[in-house]
């Protein structure tokens, strides 16, 4: 009977060994599966990191382009402002020159009228009186002499001419 028990024990050991081998194989398959999943996750993570880096580079590139565009816009605005100021200054100078020319013309016309009115063949007492009012109504300048009516600002010259008429 010792042989049967021994055979039963051997069969039990064999069964336990097979069961342990099956469990070991199952664990190995799980370990291999976990390693494959881990490898795939690492691969996906590296892929996502590369995408993130590319997106970050693209964002930086877009931001740099925006800065360049805004810098360009600021430069254009500054150039426009300079152009406007230059145009304003040029127009102001043109108007001042025209104003000066008109004052010279008015002085010339005043002198011609004065000579005409004081000439012996065309003068009348009334026109002489108007001319005297124009010349005597001119205010004293800071230099002590009389200022010409046409050297005054427009509204003051107009008022003095209207008063003298």
């Amino acid at each position: 009977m010792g042989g049967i028990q021994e055979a039963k024990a051997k069969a039990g050991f064999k069964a336990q060994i097979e069961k342990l081998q099956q469990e070991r194989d199952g664990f190995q398959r799980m370990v291999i599966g976990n390693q494959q999943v881990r490898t795939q996750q690492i691969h996906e993570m590296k892929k996502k990191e590369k995408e993130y880096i590319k997106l970050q580079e693209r964002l930086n590139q877009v931001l740099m382009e925006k800065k360049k565009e805004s810098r360009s816009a600021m430069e254009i605005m500054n150039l426009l402002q300079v152009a406007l100021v230059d145009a304003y200054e040029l127009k102001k100078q043109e108007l001042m020159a025209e104003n000066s020319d008109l004052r010279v013309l008015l002085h010339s016309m005043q002198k011609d009228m004065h000579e005409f009115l004081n000439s012996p063949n065309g003068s009348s007492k009334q026109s002489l009186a108007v001319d005297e009012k124009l010349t005597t109504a001119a205010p004293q300048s800071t230099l002590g002499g009389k200022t010409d009516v046409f050297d005054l600002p427009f509204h003051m010259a107009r008022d003095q001419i209207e008063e003298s008429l």
Side-chain angles (χ1 to χ4, degrees), residues 57-82:
E57 288 173 354
R58 178 68 180 135
L59 176 63
N60 287 336
Q61 182 181 5
V62 167
L63 289 175
M64 292 301 288
E65 288 173 4
K66 290 287 183 187
K67 283 183 182 178
K68 286 178 185 176
E69 288 174 7
S70 67
R71 231 180 289 137
S72 296
M74 291 296 285
E75 289 172 2
I76 290 171
M77 292 291 284
N78 287 340
L79 289 174
L80 285 174
Q81 185 177 5
V82 167

Side-chain angles (χ1 to χ4, degrees), residues 30-154:
M30 280 188 355
V31 167
I32 290 172
N34 285 341
Q35 285 176 347
Q36 287 175 345
V37 167
R38 185 170 178 257
T39 304
Q40 185 178 1
Q41 287 175 342
I42 290 172
H43 176 72
E44 287 291 322
M45 193 168 66
K46 287 181 181 179
K47 185 177 175 182
K48 294 289 182 187
E49 284 177 7
K50 286 180 182 179
E51 286 179 23
Y52 174 75
I53 291 170
K54 283 182 182 179
L55 287 173
Q56 203 168 20
E57 288 173 354
R58 178 68 180 135
L59 176 63
N60 287 336
Q61 182 181 5
V62 167
L63 289 175
M64 292 301 288
E65 288 173 4
K66 290 287 183 187
K67 283 183 182 178
K68 286 178 185 176
E69 288 174 7
S70 67
R71 231 180 289 137
S72 296
M74 291 296 285
E75 289 172 2
I76 290 171
M77 292 291 284
N78 287 340
L79 289 174
L80 285 174
Q81 185 177 5
V82 167
L84 285 173
V85 168
D86 289 348
Y88 169 79
E89 290 294 326
L90 181 64
K91 188 66 175 178
K92 181 180 172 185
Q93 288 175 352
E94 288 174 359
L95 289 173
M96 288 175 67
E98 182 181 353
N99 192 13
S100 177
D101 292 344
L102 290 173
R103 284 184 191 270
V104 168
L105 182 62
L106 279 173
H107 285 290
S108 172
M109 288 176 63
Q110 182 184 23
K111 181 181 173 189
D112 290 347
M113 286 178 65
H114 185 65
E115 287 175 0
F116 175 74
L117 292 174
N118 287 334
S119 68
N121 58 356
S123 68
S124 69
K125 289 186 179 181
Q126 185 181 11
S127 61
L128 284 174
V130 169
D131 187 39
E132 281 182 26
K133 280 186 184 177
L134 278 177
T135 55
T136 57
Q140 294 288 322
S141 75
T142 55
L143 301 174
K146 288 191 175 182
T147 350
D148 193 32
V149 168
F150 299 115
D151 287 332
L152 297 174
F154 174 74

Side-chain angles (χ1 to χ4, degrees), residues 10-23:
K10 277 187 181 182
F13 285 134
K14 269 189 175 182
Q16 280 184 345
I17 290 175
E18 279 185 37
K19 187 177 178 183
L20 289 174
Q21 283 179 346
Q22 286 176 355
E23 283 182 18

